[in-house]
Amino acid sequence: MSPGGAGVDGAVRPVGPGGRRRRATATAALGGLTLATVVAAVCLGGYPLAVPGVVETLLGGGSRAEQFVVLDVRLPRVAMAVLVGAALGLAGALMQALLDNPLASPDIIGITQGASVGAVTGLLVLGWGGLAVSGAALAGALIAAAAIHLLAWRDGVTGQRFVLIGIAVAFMGQAALGYMLTRADVRDAQSAWVWLVGSVGSARWDEIVVLAAALAVLIPIALTRAPALRVLQFGDDAATGLGVHAHRARAGIIAIAVALAAVGVAAAGPVAFVAFMAAPIARRIAGGGMALAPAALVGAVVVAAADLAGRHLLPGDIQVPAGVITGAVGAPYLLWLLATGDRRGRTA
C-alpha cells in the first residue's frame, strides 16, 4: 500500500495543513446539510408544517395532530435514517481506507449480506423479533467477516484478495436469502422482503434508542482508531516499526466496521450502496484523507434524503423505501467505477 492510500476513484490521499482547514469546513457544511435535510423531512408531507410550528411541538406545544405527525411519524423516521446512514457511511470509510480499495465496502463484500442472513434466519426460521433480530444480524455479519478474513489470509490480508472473496461470500449470502424466502410462509416472506429492501418507514423510538446507544460506543472507538489506520496505510513493516501491531490493529478495525454495518442493517435492513458511496463523496468534498467524520455525515444525508425522495418526489403519489432510491443511484456509480477503474489505475 502507498502512504495515504491509492485506490481508483475515492482513493485515500494525504491531507496537508491546508487540507485540514478544508476538512473542518466540509465537516461543518455536511453537518448543516444533515440538519437541513432533517428539517425538510419533518416539515414536508401531506400535513405540511412550518419550522416554528415544529419547534413549538418539540418543546411540548402544538396541537395533538401536530404532536402525532412530528413525534410519532416523521421524527422517528428521519432520526433512524440519520443514525443508519452514519453507521453505514463510517463502516464503508473504515473498510475502504484499511484495504485501500473503493470496492472494499460492507455492502459489496458480503458483510451486509451476512447480517441480512442472520436477521432473516431469526425472523423466518426462529420466529424472533425486536432486539433478538438485531443480535442475529450482528452475529451474521461477524460470521461473514470472519469467514472472509480467514479465506483471504495468506501471510497477511491484501485488499484485492479480500474483496474478491467477499464478493463470493456476498453471492452465497444472496443464495441463502433466496432459499429461505422461497421456503417461508408467503406473509412472513413478504414482511422479510420489505425489510431486505432497506427501509426506515417503520422506525420506533425503542429501536432508535438502542441504535443510538450502540453508535455512541462504536463511533468514538472508530474515530480513535484513525491514527492506527493512517499508519497501516504505509504497509505492515512500517506500521510494526512505528509500534503498531499490524495484524491485531487490522482485525480490530475490521471488527469495528463490521459492528457498525451490522447495527445499521439490523435497524433498517441493507440500505443499498450507502457504505459504498459515502466515503468517496466525503473525500472529494473534504479534499482527501480518510474523511471518517465527513463520511458518516454523507451517509446520514444520503439515507435521509433518499427516504425523503422516496416519499415525495416520485410521480403518482408512489412511495418507495429509501433502499430503492439509494440502489438506483448507487448501481450506476458502481458500473462507472468498474468501467473507468482500469484506465484510472494506469494513468494515476
Side-chain angles (χ1 to χ4, degrees):
M1 291 184 187
S2 61
V8 265
D9 179 72
V12 180
R13 296 180 177 87
V15 176
R20 283 191 283 271
R21 186 183 302 111
R22 175 175 173 177
R23 184 172 57 192
T25 302
T27 302
L30 286 168
L33 182 58
T34 303
L35 179 60
T37 307
V38 169
V39 171
V42 175
C43 291
L44 298 178
Y47 190 97
L49 295 168
V51 174
V54 171
V55 174
E56 182 183 358
T57 301
L58 292 176
L59 295 176
S63 65
R64 295 184 63 181
E66 290 172 337
Q67 291 177 356
F68 173 77
V69 170
V70 172
L71 300 178
D72 295 334
V73 178
R74 295 180 187 170
L75 192 58
R77 188 165 185 159
V78 71
M80 179 68 80
V82 167
L83 293 174
V84 168
L88 295 178
L90 183 54
L94 288 170
M95 295 290 288
Q96 289 169 345
L98 178 67
L99 299 174
D100 192 18
N101 192 318
L103 294 178
S105 170
D107 43 7
I108 302 293
I109 62 173
I111 305 301
T112 59
Q113 288 83 358
S116 298
V117 170
V120 172
T121 300
L123 284 168
L124 299 183
V125 179
L126 303 175
W128 291 349
L131 293 180
V133 174
S134 300
L138 177 60
L142 291 173
I143 291 171
I148 297 167
H149 193 272
L150 289 174
L151 292 171
W153 182 268
R154 186 177 291 177
D155 296 326
V157 174
T158 63
Q160 182 177 5
R161 182 176 174 84
F162 195 96
V163 168
L164 291 175
I165 291 176
I167 291 173
V169 170
F171 278 107
M172 293 174 62
Q174 291 291 348
L177 289 171
Y179 175 78
M180 285 189 288
L181 288 172
T182 57
R183 301 295 296 176
D185 179 82
V186 173
R187 288 167 295 182
D188 294 337
Q190 184 177 11
S191 63
W193 182 254
V194 171
W195 182 86
L196 285 171
V197 172
S199 173
V200 296
S202 59
R204 301 196 311 267
W205 282 116
D206 57 341
E207 298 172 337
I208 293 169
V209 169
V210 171
L211 177 59
L215 295 185
V217 174
L218 292 172
I219 289 179
I221 294 175
L223 296 179
T224 59
R225 301 310 298 161
L229 180 56
R230 194 173 293 112
V231 170
L232 287 172
Q233 292 171 347
F234 288 87
D236 289 2
D237 292 338
T240 301
L242 292 171
V244 175
H245 192 291
H247 301 323
R248 186 182 306 159
R250 184 175 290 108
I253 293 170
I254 290 175
I256 295 168
V258 169
L260 285 166
V263 297
V265 172
V271 186
F273 292 116
V274 175
F276 174 61
M277 296 186 294
I281 294 172
R283 285 193 288 268
R284 286 181 180 274
I285 296 173
M290 294 180 295
L292 298 183
L297 290 171
V298 169
V301 171
V302 167
V303 178
D307 182 58
L308 187 62
R311 284 191 287 151
H312 301 300
L313 296 186
L314 296 181
D317 293 330
I318 298 174
Q319 296 190 17
V320 298
V324 174
I325 303 296
T326 59
V329 175
Y333 174 68
L334 174 59
L335 293 174
W336 174 82
L337 179 65
L338 294 174
T340 61
D342 185 58
R343 174 173 56 79
R344 285 175 164 279
R346 289 197 301 268
T347 58

